[in-house]
């Protein structure tokens, strides 16, 4: 399946945008693979979006069907949301909570994904961050801690790739953009920043592939496939990847070893115990 978190076209009110920018170039893969979009701001809530897709009728009440939806695909629950509403409340929040509650009690579900357009964290384009995405991320991280299912949040809006994670709980957030459009380059905006919770941001075109396995040791493996940018073209190069297991042994908690005694405020380097992980995972970061 292909999940597209919004901005399928430049102007959703124009038929030509759908024909020239989405269906014509997408036809070779659309013949074989189902597409599940989450609506973006460039769709402009146009009738074309609802005419062209038949999204799962999965609990949203009349008038909001296809604006938000859920789909169980193998051992994954996928939830699509409309982040154009700016805040998470009302009927969409009730639907979201119901979808999470069902996943928590369903033994067949190992992972939960949510797709929405706007960013909760965006180093490349901070203006693309939205309160609704922050609320969704916080709720997904809490769900992961409560229910033991690793979760992932896929979004776009910012034109560039980014991967981060909640510090508490196995909740990934991944900007899967951008398949097209103008890239948000580093140094293009004065308010770009380096987030402690983001591992990598790349100002490149590309897409993300997620392989999920079931069985006794369920895993998801995510790869970022890059086409580069205007300065450095790339030919489907894997530029980032991560594996998440449902049943993961945590690393040994590190302990500080020095310096001890009185330390001046102007100088001092903390020494800690070695990083040890029973699964052989590499260290991402440590929080003290």
């Amino acid at each position: 399946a292909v999940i597209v978190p919004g901005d399928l076209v430049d102007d959703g009110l124009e038929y030509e945008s759908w024909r020239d920018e989405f269906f014509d170039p997408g036809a070779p893969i659309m013949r074989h693979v189902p597409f599940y979009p989450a609506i973006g701001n460039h769709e402009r809530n146009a009738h074309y979006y609802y005419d062209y897709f038949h999204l799962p009728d999965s609990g949203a009440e009349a008038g909001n069907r296809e604006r938000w939806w859920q789909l169980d695909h193998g051992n994954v629950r996928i939830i699509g949301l409309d982040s154009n509403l700016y805040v998470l409340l009302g009927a969409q929040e009730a639907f979201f909570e119901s979808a999470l509650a069902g996943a928590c009690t369903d033994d067949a579900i190992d992972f939960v994904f949510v797709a929405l357009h706007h960013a909760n964290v965006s180093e490349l384009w901070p203006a693309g961050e939205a309160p609704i995405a922050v609320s969704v991320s916080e709720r997904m991280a809490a769900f992961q801690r409560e229910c033991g299912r690793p979760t992932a949040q896929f979004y776009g809006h910012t034109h560039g790739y980014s991967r981060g994670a909640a510090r508490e709980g196995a909740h990934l957030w991944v900007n899967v953009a951008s398949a097209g459009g103008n890239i948000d380059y580093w140094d293009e905006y004065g308010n770009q920043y380096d987030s402690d919770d983001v591992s990598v941001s790349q100002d490149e075109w590309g897409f993300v592939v997620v392989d999920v396995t079931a069985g006794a040791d369920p895993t998801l493996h995510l790869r970022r496939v890059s086409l580069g940018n205007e300065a450095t073209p790339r030919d489907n190069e894997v530029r980032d990847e991560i594996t998440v297991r449902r049943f993961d042994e945590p690393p040994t908690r590190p302990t500080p070893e020095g310096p001890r005694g009185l330390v001046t405020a102007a100088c001092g380097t903390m020494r800690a115990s070695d990083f040890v992980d029973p699964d052989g995972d590499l260290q991402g970061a440590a929080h003290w």
Side-chain angles (χ1 to χ4, degrees):
V2 174
I3 303 171
V4 189
D7 283 3
L8 286 67
V9 296
D10 182 59
D11 187 347
L13 292 172
E14 294 183 353
Y15 163 75
E16 291 77 12
S17 283
W18 290 97
R19 181 192 63 199
D20 300 339
E21 299 169 6
F22 188 68
F23 286 109
D24 281 354
I29 192 172
M30 290 176 181
R31 296 187 181 103
H32 307 282
V33 179
F35 275 61
Y36 296 97
I39 193 166
N41 56 297
H42 276 266
E43 276 71 67
R44 299 179 66 179
N45 207 35
H47 71 90
Y48 289 116
Y49 178 84
Y50 301 101
D51 292 346
Y52 291 147
F53 295 100
H54 181 65
L55 295 168
D57 184 3
S58 47
E61 75 281 9
N64 288 316
R65 293 191 177 102
E66 299 187 303
R67 292 186 72 182
W68 45 81
W69 49 267
Q70 76 175 52
L71 166 73
D72 290 348
H73 189 70
N75 59 333
V76 180
R77 172 156 296 181
I78 306 167
I79 304 169
L81 298 177
D82 180 0
S83 61
N84 294 305
L85 298 180
Y86 194 69
V87 293
L88 183 65
L89 49 72
Q92 182 168 221
E93 182 179 29
F95 170 81
F96 184 44
E97 290 293 342
S98 176
L100 292 179
C104 191
T105 57
D106 190 340
D107 292 337
I109 300 299
D110 293 314
F111 302 98
V112 178
F113 298 162
V114 63
L116 73 169
H117 183 60
H118 292 79
N120 60 314
V121 176
S122 178
E123 294 180 321
L124 290 168
W125 186 45
E129 298 174 351
I132 185 172
V134 175
S135 298
V136 168
S137 179
E138 292 173 347
R139 183 64 189 95
M140 292 285 281
F143 164 84
Q144 192 283 319
R145 296 191 297 270
E146 296 162 5
C147 302
R149 271 76 162 177
T151 56
Q153 181 166 334
F154 300 119
Y155 57 93
H157 205 42
T158 301
H159 290 191
Y161 171 72
S162 186
R163 173 177 61 81
R167 198 179 73 206
E168 303 295 334
H171 175 53
L172 286 177
W173 50 68
V174 186
N175 186 334
V176 300
S178 179
N182 295 321
I183 295 173
D184 293 322
Y185 285 104
W186 283 117
D187 298 324
E188 185 173 357
Y189 305 106
N191 60 345
Q192 292 173 331
Y193 67 102
D194 181 13
S195 168
D196 290 340
D197 298 322
V198 173
S199 299
V200 57
S201 290
Q202 298 167 348
D203 49 359
E204 299 174 349
W205 290 296
F207 56 95
V208 167
V209 178
V210 181
D211 295 303
V212 180
T213 61
D217 185 24
T219 63
L220 74 86
H221 180 67
L222 181 148
R223 290 173 290 145
R224 168 63 173 190
V225 183
S226 174
L227 300 174
N229 56 34
E230 292 165 299
T232 307
R234 301 180 189 275
D235 184 11
N236 291 321
E237 180 180 335
V238 176
R239 293 266 287 150
D240 185 43
E241 57 187 319
I242 187 172
T243 297
V244 178
R245 289 180 290 273
R246 178 177 176 186
F247 305 113
D248 183 72
E249 291 294 327
T252 301
R253 183 182 294 273
T255 56
E257 296 181 342
R260 300 190 180 279
L262 185 63
V263 180
T264 65
C267 180
T269 300
M270 189 185 77
R271 301 188 307 274
S273 58
D274 291 339
F275 178 79
V276 179
D277 186 88
D279 301 308
D281 294 334
L282 301 176
Q283 181 181 9
H287 177 249
W288 301 90

